[in-house]
Amino acid sequence: METTSIHHDNRRVRPRRGACRRAVAGVAGLAALSLAACGGGSGGSADSDEAVDYPDQEITFVVPFSAGGPTDTVTRLIAEPMSKELGQQIVVQNVEGAGGTVAAGQVATAESDGYTVLIHHIGMSTAPALYPDLPYKPLEDFKPVGLITDVPMTIVARKDFEPETLEDLIAYVKENADSVTLANAGIGAASQLCGLLIEQAVGVDLTEVPYDGTGPALTDLVGGQVDFMCDQTTNTASQIQAEKIKGYAVTTPEPVEALPDLPTTAEAGLPDVEVGVWHGLYVPADTPDAVVEKLTEALAVALEDQNVIDKMADLGTAPVPPEDVTPEAHTSKLEEQIDLWTPIIEDAGVTGT
Ligand code: MLT
């Protein structure tokens, strides 16, 4: 079964409106839909009959960053087995902007029928502290479906960047803080959070170069247009292995099997830079529990798929344990992470717009 198709452009997801869902004839129709174009319809959430039939049409997975980047990669890995399990096509839609908050804001107000699903990562827990006017509340406007994976980050640089080790990098950025460039995927992205931790630990304020995702940021790193960045192994592992970029360290307490030559940040001199990029699926808050249950079950099946396990291992990560593939575990993680990151971000005084 053909499961995914790519949408590179920014487009709105379907608004909350009962009649709209039935009007969608195909992928192209998504871009054209608007409240006005959808006409009448009673609106509101899907009723229990719909939950019994669910899913009876294609499902859209909204990715808050660029196609080809780490979030997109994880999405496409799970979309295929989930599609098989649910018996419906899954369309992957990239809605970029404002460090992932544009997509989350759109899904928060999308129709709550289980046909619009957000994949998001640690950024769901950092956004409330970063954006004073965030148009959604992570704990109130969504139902978590389940956790997916917790991806290590790497500190990486263009191949010809002078520092050879993390220790060299620390000394170099202290000496050259005015000229060094640090790429990220915007305020709210995992790369921005990790970069912030590095700046705090080293005591520098670098020139940040924001992208719509670390997919394009990595392309520029390989091309030598920016100096260094923090990014997930799901994006960097193959480029480090191919020696197209320089890898300094992994941001996890334990080394990463796919990158055996990289020390941990604790081993290499930045013990405060420890961060794992946990991912989960979300639906709008009014989505019926029976629909959420079907998505959770399909996610659990996908994460036991040997192909998914093997591909994640190649990319330096793994599915979360089965007990974390539940709305309850996901909600606890989100609460705990909001509590963890809020004071750190407030102390740093970083804000998005
Ligand atoms: C992406 O998919 O581009 C990343 O997850 C961006 C980030 O959070 O650094």
Side-chain angles (χ1 to χ4, degrees), residues 253-267:
E254 301 298 327
V256 172
E257 218 175 296
L259 296 165
D261 296 337
L262 296 196
T264 66
T265 38
E267 287 166 343

Side-chain angles (χ1 to χ4, degrees), residues 165-233:
T165 64
L166 190 66
E167 205 183 351
D168 293 347
L169 179 73
I170 297 166
Y172 188 89
V173 296
K174 276 185 182 160
E175 282 283 306
N176 301 281
D178 289 346
S179 60
V180 171
T181 51
L182 172 63
N184 66 35
I187 293 178
S191 44
Q192 181 260 338
L193 176 67
C194 181
L196 175 69
L197 296 179
I198 295 175
E199 287 177 303
Q200 280 186 324
V202 178
V204 289
D205 189 8
L206 302 174
T207 302
E208 295 181 21
V209 184
Y211 293 80
D212 278 338
T214 51
L218 185 66
T219 303
D220 271 8
L221 196 74
V222 171
Q225 277 90 39
V226 282
D227 292 331
F228 83 110
M229 70 172 174
C230 248
D231 193 17
Q232 296 159 68
T233 57

Side-chain angles (χ1 to χ4, degrees), residues 8 10 44 49 59 64 70 103-104 115 130 144 181 243 260 287 298 300 350:
H8 294 280
N10 287 357
D49 288 346
I59 301 166
Y115 292 97
L130 289 166
T181 51
E243 297 184 2
T287 307
V350 182

Side-chain angles (χ1 to χ4, degrees), residues 63-73 99 120-123 153 184-186 188-193 212-216 230-232 234-235 277 279:
V63 176
F65 297 102
S66 309
T71 317
D72 188 74
T73 297
H120 209 334
H121 61 28
I122 191 168
M153 296 198 93
N184 66 35
S191 44
Q192 181 260 338
L193 176 67
D212 278 338
T214 51
C230 248
D231 193 17
Q232 296 159 68
T234 37
N235 209 32
V277 186
H279 293 61

